[in-house]
Amino acid sequence: DNEGGKKSIWKHLIPKYAKLQFAGSMGMLSAGAGWEYGKKHWETDLLLGYAPTDSYRQDLFTMTLKQNYIPWRIKTSNIFSLEPLTAGFYFNAILNDKNLWAWNPDRYPKGYYYHSNRFRFHIFLGQGVKFDLPKTNLPLRTVSAFYEVSTFDLYLQNIFKKGNYLKPKDYISLSLGLRFGF
């Protein structure tokens, strides 16, 4: 039954949750959708973000592709679960700043900049708590709250190059978020 196979493929493409995230070096506020798989230990998010800037510069819009790993969940009651550890990485891009570039511009000597200033690679650790909602006719099944502590590639590089010069407040970012499961 080829028709059933096509339905199955499309069913996997439908997001399993929506996410709102505050901060985390992906914009002041990011929102998007996500998919879970691997016995719900793995999640992939696609988020669009907004970052207001100073009055002399345009506000920024970002896009983030994020991979989350939740090794285990601890059921504390019929309706609550703890996620004592979440970990992962994400790629973030600033979409609308014409002064940023993906590759070394021709105006600089070859190899002068070895990194893009438009794209960043982040790693994070966090925790969360999930609330299972009573079954209703509404599509919303769960609500989760989480926090994450993250840093990104250039910060990590500076930590190793400059050692004690940087303090944790210089290279660690905190984000808070809500996840709405369908």
Side-chain angles (χ1 to χ4, degrees):
D1 179 355
N2 195 17
E3 193 64 35
K6 287 181 184 176
K7 274 187 180 177
S8 176
I9 290 170
W10 285 109
K11 185 178 178 183
H12 291 300
L13 296 176
I14 297 169
K16 302 299 182 207
Y17 58 87
K19 191 176 266 188
L20 288 173
Q21 193 158 345
F22 174 75
S25 296
M26 60 179 79
M28 182 180 81
L29 187 64
S30 297
W35 299 263
E36 52 190 20
Y37 45 92
K39 297 184 181 180
K40 299 186 179 184
H41 292 290
W42 291 95
E43 297 176 346
T44 300
D45 303 338
L46 182 59
L47 305 163
L48 295 175
Y50 169 74
T53 60
D54 296 329
S55 60
Y56 65 90
R57 186 175 178 200
Q58 68 183 11
D59 291 348
L60 300 176
F61 294 94
T62 67
M63 184 167 58
T64 302
L65 181 61
K66 186 175 173 193
Q67 185 63 49
N68 310 300
Y69 178 61
I70 303 111
W72 65 89
R73 290 179 175 89
I74 300 169
K75 192 95 171 142
T76 59
S77 72
N78 289 340
I79 57 173
F80 284 106
S81 299
L82 295 176
E83 296 170 345
L85 173 67
T86 60
F89 60 90
Y90 53 97
F91 295 97
N92 179 261
I94 297 173
L95 300 175
N96 65 318
D97 189 332
K98 294 176 186 162
N99 294 317
L100 301 180
W101 34 266
W103 295 274
N104 195 22
D106 291 336
R107 66 180 178 261
Y108 298 112
K110 185 176 178 172
Y112 187 78
Y113 284 110
Y114 55 89
H115 59 81
S116 160
N117 64 356
R118 181 175 299 277
F119 301 103
R120 293 276 63 85
F121 174 76
H122 301 251
I123 58 172
F124 71 88
L125 292 172
Q127 294 181 316
V129 61
K130 183 171 92 171
F131 175 67
D132 293 320
L133 299 172
K135 293 193 191 253
T136 66
N137 290 336
L138 298 174
L140 190 59
R141 301 282 180 237
T142 64
V143 175
S144 303
F146 64 91
Y147 78 89
E148 295 169 353
V149 180
S150 65
T151 191
F152 63 81
D153 51 358
L154 292 180
Y155 286 163
L156 287 172
Q157 182 182 8
N158 283 329
I159 292 167
F160 292 113
K161 277 186 174 180
K162 298 181 181 177
N164 294 340
Y165 176 76
L166 295 173
K167 305 289 184 232
K169 69 178 179 63
D170 296 326
Y171 56 84
I172 291 179
S173 178
L174 173 67
S175 65
L176 305 172
L178 293 172
R179 180 185 179 278
F180 303 96
F182 309 125

